[in-house]
Amino acid sequence: MSGSTPQDARVRVLIVDDEALMRAGLRLMIDGAHGIEVIGEAADGETGLSQIRALDPDVVLLDIRMPRMTGLEALAELTAQALPARVVMLTAFDTDEFLLAALRGGAMSFLLKDSPPQEVVQAVLDAAQARPRFSPEVLTRLVRLAADGTPTTSAGPVPANGAGAAADGASAGTTGAAPEGVTEREWEVGRLVAQGLSNQEVGDRLFMSVATVKTHLGRLYHKLQVTNRVQLAIRVLELGG
């Protein structure tokens, strides 16, 4: 049932964190809330991967720093094996250098470990529906990291429409022009998404239907080689949007 759970149905969650107290707190926050069911726990990335394969959760709450296998390493394996669980990364401010790498690796969302219960619950429900969600502080840091071009620890920039577009990233950052192969209209949509606007808000701003916005987004995903609007927003910022 991974990846197809309606919001009012059961959402099966696996918690992966090396701190027992953190796992217990997360379980108390979300288990039984709005149909969420915690189906397992793991204390490291390696065990977490085994649990994901065995239990097939809809959503995984995954810590970044863990022994044996880090959250980033577990995420890379999960993606490589095409496991359908959607990942909400758990982070602290001292790990912000990993944020872009994890999003490029396929994480759906980021939460601070001290997020309030209602925010954690909503992040799980949103992830089950493939909707990204971030703690406000994390979103601010993501935008800063992307805008500043801060290097990441485990993944280089995602190539955009071939080597030429990637190499032209600096000049795009200067002019704000659409990168090679992307139309001006698509770029307008991408820039508004990078500002955090919803599809409806983008449509209202550009006087187009939501269906047309989605069409432009689909083309941008393909051209910029990203898989969701968060990765798109980061790529647009990297290219000067």
Side-chain angles (χ1 to χ4, degrees), residues 2-80:
S2 294
S4 61
T5 307
Q7 184 148 334
D8 59 353
R10 189 172 60 148
V11 177
R12 303 166 70 250
V13 177
L14 177 70
I15 300 172
V16 185
D17 194 294
D18 63 324
E19 298 179 13
L21 189 59
M22 186 67 196
R23 296 197 305 272
L26 288 168
R27 181 182 283 271
L28 285 173
M29 284 184 195
I30 66 175
D31 198 22
H34 300 282
I36 296 172
E37 179 187 5
V38 176
I39 60 172
E41 299 179 10
D44 60 77
E46 187 174 313
T47 305
L49 272 177
S50 296
Q51 292 276 60
I52 291 169
R53 296 188 197 101
L55 301 176
D56 189 28
D58 299 299
V59 177
V60 180
L61 292 177
L62 183 62
D63 187 20
I64 288 182
R65 293 188 186 273
M66 291 181 294
R68 297 181 67 192
M69 179 184 285
T70 69
L72 288 177
E73 291 168 340
L75 176 63
E77 284 294 318
L78 187 153
T79 302

Side-chain angles (χ1 to χ4, degrees), residues 44-241:
D44 60 77
E46 187 174 313
T47 305
L49 272 177
S50 296
Q51 292 276 60
I52 291 169
R53 296 188 197 101
L55 301 176
D56 189 28
D58 299 299
V59 177
V60 180
L61 292 177
L62 183 62
D63 187 20
I64 288 182
R65 293 188 186 273
M66 291 181 294
R68 297 181 67 192
M69 179 184 285
T70 69
L72 288 177
E73 291 168 340
L75 176 63
E77 284 294 318
L78 187 153
T79 302
Q81 297 175 30
L83 298 173
R86 288 162 178 155
V87 173
V88 176
M89 299 297 290
L90 301 171
T91 187
F93 278 135
D94 65 340
T95 60
D96 67 350
E97 69 270 23
F98 298 120
L99 298 181
L100 295 180
L103 286 175
R104 289 191 185 102
M108 179 63 60
S109 302
F110 267 91
L111 287 180
L112 295 179
K113 286 193 172 185
D114 60 356
S115 296
Q118 65 271 22
E119 192 169 308
V120 179
V121 168
Q122 193 58 54
V124 169
L125 296 175
D126 285 349
Q129 294 297 301
R131 290 194 296 262
R133 189 176 185 87
F134 299 89
S135 301
E137 300 90 342
V138 171
L139 184 57
T140 298
R141 284 176 175 267
L142 283 173
V143 171
R144 176 182 58 75
L145 286 170
D148 292 347
T150 303
T152 58
T153 57
S154 63
V158 177
N161 211 32
D168 290 342
S171 61
T174 301
T175 65
E180 181 183 352
V182 175
T183 69
E184 289 298 330
R185 200 59 163 166
E186 290 166 354
W187 195 234
E188 286 181 312
V189 170
R191 293 177 72 174
L192 291 176
V193 168
Q195 295 172 27
L197 274 65
S198 67
N199 289 351
Q200 183 64 61
E201 291 168 334
V202 172
D204 291 344
R205 185 77 63 89
L206 298 179
F207 303 102
M208 62 176 64
S209 68
V210 171
T212 301
V213 172
K214 290 180 178 179
T215 297
H216 286 312
L217 284 176
R219 291 170 180 164
L220 279 169
Y221 288 172
H222 175 71
K223 291 178 179 181
L224 299 184
Q225 299 181 25
V226 298
T227 59
N228 61 54
R229 65 194 299 117
V230 177
Q231 293 178 352
L232 172 64
I234 290 169
R235 193 67 187 124
V236 167
L237 288 167
E238 288 176 334
L239 292 170

